[in-house]
Amino acid sequence: MNTSAMARSGRFRARRAARGSVTEGAARAGFTARGVIYLLVGALALQIAFGGTGRQADRGGALQELAHQPFGAVLLWALGIGLVGMALWRLSEVVFGSVGKDGRSPRKRLMAAARCAFYVFVAYSVLSFAASRHQSGGSSDQQSRDATARVLEIPAGQWLVGAAGLAIVGAGGWIAVRAVLRKYHNKLRLGEMSPRTRRLVDVTGVAGGAARGLVFAVAGVFAVRAAIDYEPDRAKGLDDTLRSFAETPLGPWLLACVAAGLVLFGVFSFAMARWRRV
């Protein structure tokens, strides 16, 4: 190998190493930010279950709660930047592929693209709130009703809302089943955990993932009902979906269990930030 080829190879390895370290840092910051949001939403839902808060148990309520803490502005900006990191990491998976033997498959890249778009939206909403301290667009419940109403007004809108609702139900079931089957083991550096740490991670991963999937599935059911009844007010955002658990025969205790699961998912996100293979 001549000198110029060796130099090019060295520069390529240096760029790949730098990109890898930047991507890893972005991903771990993103998982940490996601964990903070789920912890706050779960804590707010627990307070609702026992009649202790007037805030909404959704992203907007979590941001308002964070804004009232000491150094709230700094925390909000850090949260938004962390979510930008998550979006950039997902974008890198679209371009370069993700970990795993099928990480470069079209299906994986498409899923990464969808997640990237989602986190771009979430990061934008958090950074907008940090800049203005005003939650644009209203609550998650109002946003869901408004979006459903707009889609219902277009041709075949009823079918589109119904299909979206079924897709959300399916996604919720997929999330819950994968959590129960501990599919996340494939993405964690389990060898770096002690047996006790691994058991604790499994508790948060299984219970948290199941609760998160259940919330998604129930929100999807409400969207399907809105399509069938042609009534956008039947669609529910995260806050109303969580509150609906308290309206079951089990009352606030079911909401408390689901809320505790979301808190556990927040803790699991911190574990992902520490041990996720990126």
Side-chain angles (χ1 to χ4, degrees), residues 55-77:
R55 295 196 188 283
Q56 292 193 318
D58 57 13
R59 186 172 61 250
L63 295 180
Q64 290 175 7
E65 187 70 21
L66 200 61
H68 286 84
Q69 303 306 311
F71 305 103
V74 175
L75 294 174
L76 287 170
W77 282 105

Side-chain angles (χ1 to χ4, degrees), residues 91-153:
L91 179 61
S92 76
E93 289 189 320
V94 176
V95 178
F96 303 108
S98 57
V99 296
K101 57 184 179 181
D102 62 339
R104 296 186 178 183
S105 66
R107 181 179 66 87
K108 289 285 188 178
R109 291 179 188 269
L110 182 60
M111 291 175 63
R115 288 166 175 159
C116 176
F118 171 76
Y119 280 108
V120 166
F121 169 76
V122 176
Y124 173 78
S125 67
V126 172
L127 291 173
S128 297
F129 183 91
S132 64
R133 297 298 184 89
H134 174 70
Q135 184 186 358
S136 60
S139 68
S140 63
D141 304 317
Q142 188 61 50
Q143 290 173 352
S144 296
R145 289 191 290 267
D146 290 346
T148 302
R150 285 194 294 269
V151 175
L152 286 175
E153 291 174 355

